[in-house]
Amino acid sequence: MSPIADPWFYAAAIPSVFLVGLSKGGFGGTFAMLGVPIMALVISPLQAAGIMLPILIVMDIVALAAYRGKADWRSLSILLPAAILGIGIGWATAAYVNDAFVILLIGVMSLAFVADYLFKQRKVTTAASHNLPKGTFWGTIAGFTSFISHTGGPPFQMYMLPLRLAPLMFAGTAVIFFAAVNAIKLVPYFLLGQFDATNLATSVMLFPVALIATLCGVRLVRIVKAETFYGIIYVFMGLIGAKLTYDGFAGFLS
């Protein structure tokens, strides 16, 4: 098992993994979606996704230990079954789905959600209540898009952000949700041939970066005020939405 030796790959992969680790440490997947696109600057997106998934699993283990006992189980009881359904749909339709369309759709929805917050929801001071139909819809979309293109963060946040949970509770819920989603994705990814010796060896090389970055993310969540915490998430959600929208259009044009 020999890892990738190209130094240009690691010039992209190390900051990529570090950003993902910060997000996995408690920011709900906000900029975890940058991981594969940054790696894809130097390798194929398919290979980048295969390398990233074992790294995500390691990050999940660290984050689960850091946030044990902190989660909104009502949210998880609504979102996780729906996410499993979404993953199943993604697996069944993997050969037919247009990735550019999925990316564009998530990008546009993210921008619309942020715009709604800026122009209307920001004035709302009360937290939303749990909603089974809404949670089922966004949970299914999160599972599907996470399987197809590792873009499960925005749909998850579209359900969770209006609940206005305390940052530690939001972070703990996100950690458990994405840990479960990534663990479930292992089987279909394996069956689709996403793992090989080179990819796994490269993942192992990047594990130390993943550990350090995740612990940094955990620390940031504990010291950042709630208003700042949610502000950061909305800002990055807008930026990611803009990037996904651009990438989706670019995919159609190409």
Side-chain angles (χ1 to χ4, degrees):
M1 292 176 65
S2 299
I4 294 173
D6 183 2
W8 287 111
F9 166 76
Y10 292 98
I14 290 173
S16 167
V17 171
F18 195 83
L19 282 173
V20 174
L22 286 178
S23 186
K24 296 292 285 183
F27 287 89
T30 309
F31 36 91
M33 293 177 295
L34 292 173
V36 169
I38 292 174
M39 278 195 193
L41 294 172
V42 289
I43 59 175
S44 74
L46 188 64
Q47 186 178 16
I51 290 170
M52 186 60 73
L53 187 54
I55 294 171
L56 292 175
I57 298 295
V58 170
M59 292 175 177
D60 288 334
I61 293 170
V62 175
L64 284 170
Y67 289 104
R68 60 187 180 277
K70 296 179 177 66
D72 180 18
W73 292 102
R74 176 59 178 158
S75 295
L76 291 170
S77 70
I78 294 172
L79 292 169
L80 274 177
I84 294 170
L85 172 63
I87 292 170
I89 294 172
W91 184 12
T93 61
Y96 311 103
V97 171
N98 185 311
D99 287 0
F101 175 77
V102 173
I103 290 171
L104 176 61
L105 179 64
I106 295 301
V108 171
M109 286 194 300
S110 299
L111 290 177
F113 184 78
V114 172
D116 180 68
Y117 167 74
L118 291 175
F119 295 110
K120 184 176 67 176
Q121 292 298 325
R122 186 170 56 175
K123 300 174 184 176
V124 178
T125 57
T126 57
S129 300
H130 286 293
N131 185 303
L132 180 60
K134 186 182 294 185
T136 300
F137 174 78
W138 288 121
T140 303
I141 297 297
F144 176 77
T145 57
S146 179
F147 181 87
I148 295 297
S149 56
H150 291 314
T151 53
F156 171 83
Q157 291 161 0
M158 287 176 197
Y159 180 75
M160 292 297 299
L161 287 174
L163 300 179
R164 297 175 183 262
L165 301 178
L168 284 177
M169 192 65 70
F170 177 95
T173 305
V175 164
I176 292 175
F177 177 82
F178 286 107
V181 166
N182 288 331
I184 294 167
K185 282 158 58 177
L186 282 173
V187 173
Y189 265 56
F190 175 79
L191 294 175
L192 290 171
Q194 287 279 53
F195 304 125
D196 61 27
T198 297
N199 286 356
L200 289 174
T202 304
S203 299
V204 171
M205 288 284 289
L206 293 166
F207 281 171
V209 179
L211 293 171
I212 294 169
T214 306
L215 292 174
C216 287
V218 170
R219 176 60 180 163
L220 283 174
V221 169
R222 294 177 185 274
I223 63 176
V224 172
K225 293 181 179 179
E227 312 86 66
T228 306
F229 175 84
Y230 280 102
I232 291 170
I233 291 180
Y234 276 111
V235 167
F236 274 97
M237 191 172 182
L239 293 173
I240 294 296
K243 185 184 187 310
L244 291 176
T245 301
Y246 173 82
D247 289 346
F249 275 122
F252 275 118
L253 293 175
S254 62

